[in-house]
Amino acid sequence: GDSVTQMEGPVTLSEEAFLTINCTYTATGYPSLFWYVQYPGEGLQLLLKATKADDKGSNKGFEATYRKETTSFHLEKGSVQVSDSAVYFCALSNAGGTSYGKLTFGQGTILTVHP
Amino acid sequence: GAGVSQSPSNKVTEKGKDVELRCDPISGHTALYWYRQSLGQGLEFLIYFQGNSAPDKSGLPSDRFSAERTGGSVSTLTIQRTQQEDSAVYLCASRPSSGNTIYFGEGSWLTVV
């Protein structure tokens, strides 16, 4: 079945540091890929997505590129802020079958950014 | 409202009691999902409703768990004879008929004591 493997955390960075959170996936067909973020005390929010190979999703300074050859969707940000402290989830959605749009999530990576 | 609405936001219940969790999806969204988020287990898919089709119940962990969706809108997740391992945040999400982006509610935090 489909699966998502995320870089284990927690990740602790200083403000303005470069961030990479690795994500790889296993799926049949051509899934869509997502990053969701969960800020403290809040629900899951879509951060960015990519629907086909070589697409780059971007939002709030975060980027991730859909790499089919390496089955990866690594999240990057050039300069993190304290307000980026949250839990980040990589996820995929397969378009086929009876459960269209059903998301399979990675385990989540806790990011803490210090001033 | 504009987003997915869930209630209650917090529920503490005694082991063995039944609980009901409610989800009000975004207006017009045809698909509705329930997920569970617990420590050490990440986010687990529970059940999926799409229009009038039979729901995908493949993620329900036991027959103590059931869900219904009335009138294609509001959904209720019921857990019977709750156990301590049922303690988790139960997340509801919905998706429009076109596109594959899923929008989540803030969750219902269930604690079984």
Side-chain angles (χ1 to χ4, degrees), chain A residues 6-69:
Chain A
Q6 264 182 257
M7 166 181 174
E8 288 194 19
V11 174
T12 303
L13 294 173
S14 298
E15 205 164 27
E16 300 184 2
F18 184 84
L19 169 71
T20 300
I21 301 178
N22 289 339
C23 171
T24 57
Y25 67 90
T26 301
T28 56
Y30 302 94
S32 294
L33 301 174
F34 303 82
W35 278 99
Y36 279 82
V37 59
Q38 189 173 33
Y39 297 104
E42 298 185 17
L44 277 171
Q45 301 174 25
L46 177 66
L47 180 60
L48 54 84
K49 70 176 185 179
T51 57
K52 62 182 187 295
D54 300 324
D55 268 3
K56 177 185 285 187
S58 61
N59 186 24
K60 299 182 181 180
F62 291 88
E63 293 184 339
T65 301
Y66 189 144
R67 299 287 188 201
K68 189 167 177 61
E69 64 276 14

Side-chain angles (χ1 to χ4, degrees), chain B residues 58-80:
Chain B
S58 60
L60 294 178
S62 77
D63 59 8
R64 296 187 295 106
F65 288 72
S66 62
E68 62 177 20
R69 188 179 185 192
T70 54
S73 181
V74 172
S75 176
T76 302
L77 176 69
T78 302
I79 309 172
Q80 296 178 309

Side-chain angles (χ1 to χ4, degrees), chain A residues 32 34 36 38 41-46 49 51 87 89 93 98-107, chain B residues 31 33 35 37 40-43 45 48 50 56 58 91 95 97 99-107:
Chain A
S32 294
F34 303 82
Y36 279 82
Q38 189 173 33
E42 298 185 17
L44 277 171
Q45 301 174 25
L46 177 66
K49 70 176 185 179
T51 57
V87 184
F89 293 91
S93 168
T98 57
S99 292
Y100 176 78
K102 184 176 90 175
L103 286 167
T104 300
F105 285 91
Q107 287 294 96
Chain B
Y33 307 79
Y35 282 81
Q37 185 178 19
Q41 297 296 321
L43 278 151
F45 165 77
Y48 161 61
Q50 172 61 58
D56 175 356
S58 60
L91 294 167
R95 176 179 56 79
S97 56
N100 60 0
T101 300
I102 295 176
Y103 299 88
F104 283 84
E106 294 194 0

Side-chain angles (χ1 to χ4, degrees), chain A residues 74-97:
Chain A
H74 304 322
L75 182 68
E76 296 182 336
K77 185 173 186 181
S79 176
V80 293
Q81 305 300 311
V82 172
S83 57
D84 294 327
S85 298
V87 184
Y88 292 81
F89 293 91
C90 185
L92 71 81
S93 168
N94 237 321

Side-chain angles (χ1 to χ4, degrees), chain B:
Chain B
V4 177
S5 178
Q6 292 187 244
S7 62
S9 54
N10 284 285
K11 174 74 174 179
V12 180
T13 190
E14 292 180 352
K15 178 180 171 181
K17 301 278 190 178
D18 297 352
V19 295
E20 286 188 350
L21 307 176
R22 176 190 167 101
C23 173
D24 207 336
I26 295 171
S27 178
H29 281 197
T30 55
L32 186 148
Y33 307 79
W34 283 98
Y35 282 81
R36 179 169 70 174
Q37 185 178 19
S38 50
L39 284 174
Q41 297 296 321
L43 278 151
E44 303 171 81
F45 165 77
L46 297 177
I47 189 169
Y48 161 61
F49 296 90
Q50 172 61 58
N52 296 321
S53 302
D56 175 356
K57 304 180 182 180
S58 60
L60 294 178
S62 77
D63 59 8
R64 296 187 295 106
F65 288 72
S66 62
E68 62 177 20
R69 188 179 185 192
T70 54
S73 181
V74 172
S75 176
T76 302
L77 176 69
T78 302
I79 309 172
Q80 296 178 309
R81 305 181 302 282
T82 52
Q83 303 295 314
Q84 287 186 329
E85 61 263 28
D86 299 335
S87 297
V89 180
Y90 290 83
L91 294 167
C92 179
S94 68
R95 176 179 56 79
S97 56
S98 60
N100 60 0
T101 300
I102 295 176
Y103 299 88
F104 283 84
E106 294 194 0
S108 292
W109 192 293
L110 175 66
T111 303
V112 182
V113 297

